[in-house]
Amino acid sequence: MKNKIQIFIASLFALGLTAIAGNVKAQTTSGNTIQEVQLNKNDAFNEIRNLLMANFDFTNPDYKQGVVNSEVKFDIAENGKIVNVRSKGDCKNVSKEIENVLSHLMYKIDANKLNENMLASSFVMPVRVDINNR
């Protein structure tokens, strides 16, 4: 009985060491890191943000008053068109309007404006809208 308890404790100890070693290795491997992409004024996302605000309908009375924070996810098709727009945020009506505007933009992203860190097909962009009193 004493041997079985010692074997069980030794097994738990060995499994624990294996788990810790695997976790440390995963944290130090360069392939598992997510790098932050800094946006600058000349990139394609600034243009998208400006087009979004220019085409946004601020007159809807169902919008929440004040600052509304949203997060919009979208894909870029091979031809540069914005597709599969999904938005979520503080106000579902603002999120729907963001989706509507971005889905119907007659805009294609110029691949030359995307730097090497931004070569992906799916993106997440924060959007902050200030709805003033009407």
Side-chain angles (χ1 to χ4, degrees), residues 45 48 72-76 81-86 102 109 121-125:
F45 296 106
I48 293 171
V72 63
K73 298 177 182 181
F74 57 91
D75 298 332
I76 304 294
K81 185 90 171 109
I82 298 171
V83 295
N84 298 329
V85 180
R86 302 152 321 271
L102 289 180
I109 292 180
S121 59
S122 297
F123 296 92
V124 177
M125 182 175 74

Side-chain angles (χ1 to χ4, degrees), residues 28-119:
T28 59
T29 304
S30 63
N32 288 338
T33 59
I34 298 174
Q35 294 180 346
E36 181 179 352
V37 175
Q38 295 293 326
L39 301 178
N40 64 37
K41 292 181 181 179
N42 298 324
D43 68 10
F45 296 106
N46 197 40
E47 287 182 42
I48 293 171
R49 209 174 266 113
N50 290 338
L51 287 169
L52 174 63
M53 288 301 116
N55 293 297
F56 195 89
D57 178 20
F58 288 95
T59 61
N60 188 336
D62 295 330
Y63 294 156
K64 178 181 163 186
Q65 295 288 321
V67 175
V68 179
N69 292 307
S70 297
E71 178 181 89
V72 63
K73 298 177 182 181
F74 57 91
D75 298 332
I76 304 294
E78 288 183 15
N79 63 359
K81 185 90 171 109
I82 298 171
V83 295
N84 298 329
V85 180
R86 302 152 321 271
S87 179
K88 65 179 180 178
D90 298 341
C91 177
K92 67 179 181 178
N93 295 315
V94 170
S95 294
K96 285 182 185 178
E97 179 66 13
I98 291 170
E99 289 176 5
N100 185 40
V101 169
L102 289 180
S103 296
H104 294 95
L105 274 181
M106 300 305 283
Y107 175 78
K108 290 185 179 180
I109 292 180
D110 184 8
N112 296 330
K113 291 190 178 182
L114 296 177
N115 65 33
E116 64 204 33
N117 293 331
M118 299 168 71
L119 295 177

